[in-house]
Amino acid sequence: VAEYFRNPVLTRSGKERLVAFHNALLHDEQGQVTGTLSSGEDITERLAAEDALADERERLAVTLASIGEGLIATDPAGKIALCNRVALELTGSAGKDVLGQPLETVFRLVSEKNHELLPSPVGAVLATRQTVPLPAPSSLLTPDGHEVLVEGVLAPIVTASSKLIGAVLAFIIVWCDPSAQSAFVPAIFRGGGEAPHTGSKSNATGLPDALKP
């Protein structure tokens, strides 16, 4: 006897419901099977909700993949929970498992003035629940030691019930030294320095309106 199986059931109103049946064998003192004990659970709504959630996750994944900005989301501890393809490429993390790592180990900012590492602003965003721009001017340090000027913003992620569940970073490269032969700098920047969609280093971030400070 199958311990668990799903079977469609037609109700009196003519609607079809999906029922999960749980079965167990009943034995006597000698161990002989004397019958079965079965229970059924209507799982129609649960499966519909699971399908809807799967569709929503797929839409989110497609949306993140199509956005031209780098997007990194963290958990409440500032550790990476999500990273889109653009962010992986711009930080030199493509093909690496960055989930669970502190944001500052993947997204390393340096001062444009003295080239020293800057503290990650994610801690302040999580503590204050305020949207803040990246320090300006600042550069993203690539894994091979090159620096590319970036603009971006960090915003808290808060649920409808006011629960803080993390932060999201959106950023773009706005300028780099065209002579920099970094494998982590997109080829389009190596030829002209400035990002074609920003015009100059001092332009607005070009980030989604919802994330602008």
Side-chain angles (χ1 to χ4, degrees):
V1 178
E3 294 184 357
Y4 175 85
F5 68 94
R6 299 174 179 178
N7 197 52
V9 173
L10 194 64
T11 66
R12 290 182 179 180
S13 63
K15 295 182 179 180
E16 187 177 282
R17 310 290 293 182
L18 189 61
V19 178
F21 290 96
H22 303 265
N23 304 307
L25 293 175
L26 300 177
H27 300 83
D28 60 19
E29 294 180 355
Q30 287 73 42
Q32 298 297 316
V33 176
T34 60
T36 61
L37 178 64
S38 300
S39 63
E41 176 188 6
D42 189 338
I43 59 173
T44 308
E45 277 79 16
R46 191 187 78 191
L47 289 183
E50 290 176 354
D51 289 342
L53 180 59
D55 290 343
E56 188 65 25
R57 286 175 174 171
E58 184 176 0
R59 281 193 292 270
L60 176 60
V62 172
T63 301
L64 289 175
S66 63
I67 291 176
E69 291 84 17
L71 289 177
I72 303 176
T74 76
D75 63 14
K79 295 183 178 180
I80 296 175
L82 182 149
C83 194
N84 76 342
R85 176 186 54 80
V86 176
L88 288 172
E89 292 176 352
L90 295 182
T91 59
S93 303
K96 300 179 181 179
D97 185 10
V98 299
L99 299 184
Q101 294 189 30
L103 177 62
E104 58 268 22
T105 65
V106 174
F107 190 80
R108 298 182 297 165
L109 284 177
V110 295
S111 170
E112 183 76 2
K113 297 177 180 179
N114 56 25
H115 307 285
E116 294 182 355
L117 281 173
L118 295 172
S120 173
V122 68
V125 171
L126 292 172
T128 63
R129 298 192 176 197
Q130 298 294 316
T131 298
V132 300
L134 292 178
S138 58
S139 296
L140 174 66
L141 184 64
T142 66
D144 55 4
H146 289 87
E147 297 177 13
V148 291
L149 192 66
V150 293
E151 289 182 349
V153 63
L154 264 163
I157 305 175
V158 182
T159 67
S161 60
S162 299
K163 180 181 179 181
L164 179 70
I165 60 174
V168 60
L169 163 68
F171 67 97
I172 55 173
I173 291 179
V174 294
W175 186 88
C176 74
D177 184 350
S179 65
Q181 297 300 312
S182 171
F184 303 99
V185 176
I188 193 170
F189 293 103
R190 300 183 202 138
E194 294 179 352
H197 59 290
T198 59
S200 72
K201 292 189 288 184
S202 61
N203 274 4
T205 61
L207 298 170
D209 289 340
L211 292 177
K212 288 181 180 179

